[in-house]
Amino acid sequence: MQHTLIILKPDCVQRRLAGTVLARFEAKGLKLVGMKLIQVSKALAEQHYAEHAARPFFGGLIDFITGGPVIVGVLEGNEAISVVRNLLGATNGAAAAPGTVRGDFSISKQNNLVHGSDSPESAAREIALWFPEGVVSYDIAGSTWVFDGA
Ligand code: IDP
Ligand code: MG
């Protein structure tokens, strides 16, 4: 089972699409093991997006992600990292495939609603950064109907 970090970005919260997006993750079979609504500090935003520090859009991206509260969470499930990335779709909402979160709800490169970790290394780094207190371990009754181990 993998863990992956999701961030429902300020546009998602402000557009009141958080429940809609979370419903898609739950319906897929992913389990929430961490979740909180927070106002992100500039320092945390810059750490999270450190790999993009030299990009021309970096300043705007930091303003965007700190421009309103976000809901940050950790999802658990079989192949959770790639499953979430596939549910999100391409970075540019205008090009993302219909049926994906970005393809259905975003028409922007920046305001694309949700972040998902892109690799096991990123997931480990991001979960430690956003959830230093750790996540919750629990069982969901009947989970073998969702994933049988194969
Ligand atoms: P990802 O979120 O699909 O992994 P990245 O390339 O890692 O995409 O970029 C991180 C975030 O930076 C994107 O989700 C988006 O919000 C923003 N971003 C990416 N490319 C651009 C751009 O060309 N202009 C403005 N914002 C961008
Ligand atoms: Mg990325």
Side-chain angles (χ1 to χ4, degrees):
M1 287 291 167
Q2 278 184 338
H3 283 176
T4 191
L5 188 92
I6 54 162
I7 305 171
L8 310 191
K9 301 182 187 185
D11 55 334
C12 186
V13 174
Q14 293 292 334
R15 291 175 59 193
R16 291 178 279 205
L17 288 169
T20 299
V21 168
L22 288 172
R24 291 188 175 203
F25 294 141
E26 287 193 300
K28 181 69 174 171
L30 295 160
K31 179 169 75 173
L32 273 166
V33 295
M35 175 149 279
K36 54 194 177 186
L37 182 143
I38 57 170
Q39 173 61 50
V40 182
S41 68
K42 193 166 185 239
L44 178 57
E46 287 177 347
Q47 274 184 281
H48 174 76
Y49 281 125
E51 67 170 310
H52 297 304
R55 307 286 284 277
F57 60 80
F58 185 68
L61 177 59
I62 299 305
D63 288 345
F64 164 58
I65 212 77
T66 60
V70 304
I71 296 172
V72 60
V74 178
L75 293 171
E76 178 183 296
N78 179 42
E79 303 286 348
I81 295 166
S82 62
V83 164
V84 166
R85 294 283 293 187
N86 288 336
L87 289 173
L88 294 184
T91 302
N92 181 355
T100 64
V101 169
R102 290 161 171 178
D104 288 351
F105 302 119
S106 165
I107 198 162
S108 162
K109 276 185 196 162
Q110 176 185 270
N111 297 16
N112 57 8
L113 286 115
V114 185
H115 167 83
S117 305
D118 65 7
S119 67
E121 296 71 29
S122 298
R125 183 185 77 85
E126 293 171 1
I127 292 167
L129 182 64
W130 291 82
F131 286 89
E133 69 275 28
V135 297
V136 180
S137 177
Y138 66 103
D139 293 323
I140 289 187
S143 59
T144 51
W145 289 105
V146 173
F147 180 61
D148 64 355

